[in-house]
Amino acid sequence: MSNHRPVLLALLLSLASSVAIAGEPPEVRLVIRDHRFVPAQVIVPANTKVKLIVVNEDATPEEFESHQLNREKVVLGGGTIPVYVGPLKPGRYPFFGDFHPDTAQGVLLAQ
Ligand SMILES: [Cu+2]
């Protein structure tokens, strides 16, 4: 039976790669408006890579930042950036706008 091993390995590899190709990360839209996140609470699937699409409707730059998510990324006024997060364990992951932390506060819920 040992001569079947290469076939089995090839089959497993092709399965793994087809899953990766089919698995486009789900996209979740997050808007910055008047130096606040809209919505302020974002629900994403746990244990899955997620693409946050951060849209800054303000004229001024903002920085999406989260210590728990280990992310820090500037989005220019009127700009849009992708922020990939996860796979995350179920839980709460606060984030904030580092340029307007008094108002720009949010939390990502992975569930
Ligand atoms: Cu920062």
Side-chain angles (χ1 to χ4, degrees):
M1 295 300 283
S2 62
N3 60 329
H4 289 177
R5 270 201 195 143
V7 175
L8 187 60
L9 183 60
L11 182 65
L12 287 173
L13 286 173
S14 73
L15 280 173
S17 62
S18 65
V19 167
I21 291 165
E24 284 290 306
E27 298 183 352
V28 177
R29 189 181 157 92
L30 180 60
V31 172
I32 297 164
R33 184 182 301 145
D34 298 330
H35 311 307
R36 294 174 189 277
F37 288 104
V38 182
Q41 181 172 295
V42 181
I43 296 171
V44 302
N47 306 310
T48 305
K49 186 176 178 179
V50 174
K51 181 182 184 180
L52 298 178
I53 300 174
V54 181
V55 179
N56 185 2
E57 294 186 352
D58 289 339
T60 54
E62 187 53 272
E63 186 179 55
F64 177 92
E65 181 157 355
S66 171
H67 304 304
Q68 287 80 357
L69 295 167
N70 191 26
R71 291 290 178 276
E72 187 173 18
K73 198 167 180 184
V74 170
V75 51
L76 296 177
T80 300
I81 56 165
V83 178
Y84 290 91
V85 298
L88 298 170
K89 294 179 189 165
R92 289 171 51 87
Y93 300 84
F95 57 84
F96 59 99
D98 202 17
F99 298 161
H100 304 89
D102 289 348
T103 52
Q105 294 282 340
V107 62
L108 188 149
L109 298 179
Q111 59 188 32

